[in-house]
Amino acid sequence: MALSLATTANAQGIVYNNGAPNGADGSEMSAYTQAEDFSFLSASFFNGIRFWDVEVSPFVGTVTVDWAIYTDLSGGPGSLLHSGTAVSTRTFLGLDALDFEHWQNDLSIGSVNLGPGTFWLALHQGPDYDNRAFYWETTDANGTASGQEAADGSGVYAANDLEHAFALTATPEPASMLLLATGLLGVFGVARRRKLNA
């Protein structure tokens, strides 16, 4: 039972999937902040962000990403709801024909709880707005609004006419798992007592 709970605690569930990378294009996210919309039909929570990038080989340094969640305002990022900075856990996926590196990036963030509605995820790589040729990979058009970008940290967004690959993930938190384990032990104890008394 402990092994089962440990496995569950480490499992990541996808709560929103904007699509897998299609290898067709990307948007520079060091000189720009890139943003993509997403929607929930009911109250939801996530504590991870997965996205894919292509970058000039070899890319030097730790990949630190500023992330933010905004409300939707007329089809673009509106008011800031949540933000933070996270170091990416990276998985190398290979080189393309031009020797660009393909990576999967997983960001572990604090719990974000949102109600139903449309929101925007914004990502920016690095501590400044220098161009490091770090591109958020595109995905196929999926019926949502196209991505938006803001240059030089201005916060003024304009459409870039691309759709980007990302997913929002949820890993059960230790406190939730402890509560679940306690409940299961209680149920097991009651069932055992009934069996002994029968």
Side-chain angles (χ1 to χ4, degrees):
M1 184 164 138
L3 178 60
S4 172
L5 289 171
T7 301
T8 305
N10 290 325
Q12 280 190 327
I14 294 177
V15 296
Y16 179 85
N17 187 354
N18 203 56
N22 60 13
D25 207 342
S27 297
E28 213 290 327
M29 56 179 282
S30 300
Y32 294 82
T33 299
Q34 302 290 341
E36 278 290 344
D37 68 317
F38 65 95
S39 297
F40 289 135
L41 296 177
S42 59
S44 300
F45 123 90
F46 60 94
N47 55 13
I49 300 167
R50 173 174 294 165
F51 71 97
W52 291 265
D53 82 278
V54 290
E55 56 203 58
V56 175
S57 178
F59 187 83
V60 178
T62 301
V63 173
T64 302
V65 178
D66 295 328
W67 62 272
I69 305 297
Y70 293 92
T71 61
D72 177 72
L73 179 63
S74 304
S79 302
L80 177 66
L81 296 174
H82 303 273
S83 64
T85 300
V87 174
S88 173
T89 299
R90 295 174 32 90
T91 304
F92 180 61
L93 302 176
L95 298 173
D96 67 12
L98 300 175
D99 283 339
F100 275 66
E101 297 183 355
H102 290 255
W103 291 86
Q104 176 181 298
N105 296 270
D106 285 287
L107 308 178
S108 179
I109 64 174
S111 294
V112 173
N113 294 282
L114 297 173
T118 298
F119 307 92
W120 287 80
L121 166 67
L123 299 177
H124 171 261
Q125 191 278 318
D128 50 39
Y129 284 85
D130 292 339
N131 187 326
R132 282 176 285 278
F134 187 97
Y135 302 92
W136 188 355
E137 275 202 84
T138 55
T139 190
D140 296 333
N142 57 20
T144 64
S146 64
Q148 302 229 343
E149 62 186 15
D152 301 324
S154 66
V156 178
Y157 285 89
N160 59 24
D161 299 322
L162 295 173
E163 192 70 45
H164 298 89
F166 76 94
L168 304 176
T169 62
T171 303
E173 296 175 326
S176 300
M177 295 310 300
L178 181 60
L179 188 60
L180 175 62
T182 303
L184 289 174
L185 287 172
V187 169
F188 178 74
V190 169
R192 185 161 188 238
R193 186 174 303 131
R194 284 182 180 167
K195 185 176 180 182
L196 290 173
N197 291 337

